[in-house]
Each structure stands twice: as C-alpha cells, then as structure tokens.
Amino acid sequence: MHRTKIRVAEDALDANATIARANRDDFDRHGVGVVNLMSAPGAGKTTLLERSIEALEGVRIGVLEGDVQGTIDADRIAGHHIPVTQLNTDPGFGGECHLDANMVRSAVPALALDDIDLLVIENVGNLVCPAEFRVGEDARAMVTSITEGEDKPLKYPLMFRTCELVVVNKIDLLPHLDFDLDRFLANLDAVNPGVRRLLVSAKTGEGIEPWVEWLAAIPARAAVTTAA
Ligand code: MG
Ligand code: ZN
C-alpha cells in the first residue's frame, strides 16, 4: 500500500519534470530567463516585484501571477506597465495551493515571450508544495519576512533548501519585533548551509540593489542554456 502510494507520487513528479522541460525549452528558445519566486502568503513578493520593476534597467521583465483566485496582485503589477499574465488555480486547476509545470504550460501561449528578457513567476503563497514542483525555471528564490518568526527554515526545510537565494524581507520592522535575526540565520544555515541571503525592505527599498542585480543576471543563464 505504502509502496503504491510512493510510486504514484513519483510518477506524478516525473510527469511534472517532463512538462517543466518543455516549458524551459520554450523559454530558452525565446531567450527568456525565468525565476520561480516563492513565499508564504503576505511575505511581500508582490511589493518586492513592484520595486524591482521600477529599479530594473535594460532588462525587459514580465510577470506570471499565480494565485488561487482573483487578480489583485496582477492588477498591482499591471499598473507598472509591463506584461503580466494571471494564472488562477481556481477555477481550472482544482484550487491548488501551488503552481505545477502543467499549469504554467497552459499559460505559455499567453506570455509575451518575444517582448521580455526575464519572466518572474510569482507562485501561490505557500511554504510547502510549491517547492516540490519545477515549472521550467532557471532559478528559484524565496521571500521570507521577519514577521513569520525565526523557526520557519526548521519547519519548512524543503522550501528553504530548494532556493538558491533567500530574501529576508520587512527588515524595516526589526526594531519593532521580537525577532532574533542571528537565530533565524543560524536556522537557515542549518537547513541550507551558506545559501545566499539578502536583507531587504521592499517597503522602503533598503537593501534591494543586490536583489535587482541578481534578477538582471538571470536572462544570461537562459542564453547560456540556449547556446549549450
Ligand atoms: Mg503576491
Ligand atoms: Zn499545493
């Protein structure tokens, strides 16, 4: 019984990986670098993206907004006059709490791949299953906010382990919170030793330059992949 369940889960992830590869091929063919941006609900992904759009120079960015329902975040991003596509998991994908490769596949025809260099996929806010599904990205990053507490890396290790960059957001609130930054960073290193981390305030803009530089370098990865 257990073995059957495990096999079904493995088959589902194999199928996901195949579709993710097809997405990646489409992105590479258009020379578009792709970031899968993940976080818990309310960590500040959309605010960080709004700041990033304003700060990016010489890189044409587009956003694929993943949400269970509604267009609240997509409407905010669209206000910055860049291509944005909404992908809702409800209706259509059973209200899933994450994006998978097949959902992203369904949105590919709607993406302005000829008009962008960088696609940021804002995943559904959730620290669990988004980490399990590749969607065709070149890089994975996550946003964690200090309002979530120091223990999150220990409670959701896969999410913190699967990302190459961890943005620690809302540092403007440090003086007001009972948040032990050193303890958080020690917890982060316990699950993903030495992972790159950036302390930022998307609200004030403090510390976001290295993040914007990291984003701006992603399209070059697609080009490298294309050439290989
Ligand atoms: Mg959002
Ligand atoms: Zn999920």
Side-chain angles (χ1 to χ4, degrees), residues 31-33 117-118 138 215-227:
V32 173
D117 311 303
L118 170 67
D138 294 287
L215 270 183
I218 297 297
R221 297 197 197 182
V224 168
T225 313
T226 306

Side-chain angles (χ1 to χ4, degrees), residues 12-217:
L13 285 175
D14 281 352
N16 186 76
T18 302
I19 302 169
R21 169 51 63 185
N23 291 343
R24 179 95 174 252
D25 288 346
D26 283 346
F27 299 143
D28 283 347
R29 207 168 16 254
H30 291 85
V32 173
V34 179
V35 174
N36 185 355
L37 185 62
M38 299 178 278
S39 80
K45 294 188 299 300
T46 309
T47 304
L48 182 67
L49 280 179
E50 291 187 277
R51 280 256 170 211
S52 309
I53 292 162
E54 297 306 317
L56 270 173
E57 285 175 9
V59 175
R60 300 170 302 165
I61 183 176
V63 173
L64 178 59
E65 267 301 334
D67 284 294
V68 176
Q69 281 195 350
T71 61
I72 293 171
D73 290 350
D75 292 343
R76 285 170 61 187
I77 298 293
H80 297 266
H81 310 291
I82 61 146
V84 55
T85 303
Q86 178 73 59
L87 177 51
N88 284 133
T89 65
D90 184 27
F93 297 104
E96 286 281 13
C97 47
H98 59 269
L99 297 181
D100 67 20
N102 188 48
M103 298 175 204
V104 171
R105 188 105 201 104
S106 74
V108 166
L111 299 171
L113 295 179
D114 286 326
D115 303 323
I116 61 175
D117 311 303
L118 170 67
L119 176 68
V120 177
I121 299 175
E122 185 180 333
N123 216 311
V124 180
N126 179 347
L127 286 179
V128 185
C129 26
E132 294 184 33
F133 295 90
R134 298 242 154 222
V135 295
E137 68 270 42
D138 294 287
R140 307 182 121 194
M142 69 168 294
V143 181
T144 183
S145 72
I146 65 170
T147 54
E148 295 166 47
E150 302 101 350
D151 58 348
K152 290 303 168 290
L154 303 180
K155 294 179 91 166
Y156 303 96
L158 180 63
M159 173 60 71
F160 284 85
R161 203 173 279 143
T162 193
C163 290
E164 68 176 80
L165 178 64
V166 175
V167 176
V168 183
N169 191 25
K170 306 190 186 180
I171 57 163
D172 53 295
L173 296 177
L174 264 178
H176 310 291
L177 293 178
D178 205 8
F179 178 84
D180 185 336
L181 181 60
D182 290 336
R183 198 162 101 214
F184 169 81
L185 295 176
N187 290 341
L188 179 59
D189 280 324
V191 299
N192 194 350
V195 63
R196 189 167 178 207
R197 74 286 316 259
L198 298 173
L199 307 183
V200 313
S201 167
K203 184 179 169 191
T204 68
E206 183 181 353
I208 82 153
E209 293 86 358
W211 158 253
V212 173
E213 282 168 23
W214 181 83
L215 270 183

Side-chain angles (χ1 to χ4, degrees), residues 1-11:
M1 187 64 193
H2 276 287
R3 177 161 295 185
T4 307
K5 270 189 192 165
I6 289 167
R7 169 124 16 105
V8 168
E10 282 178 353
D11 286 352

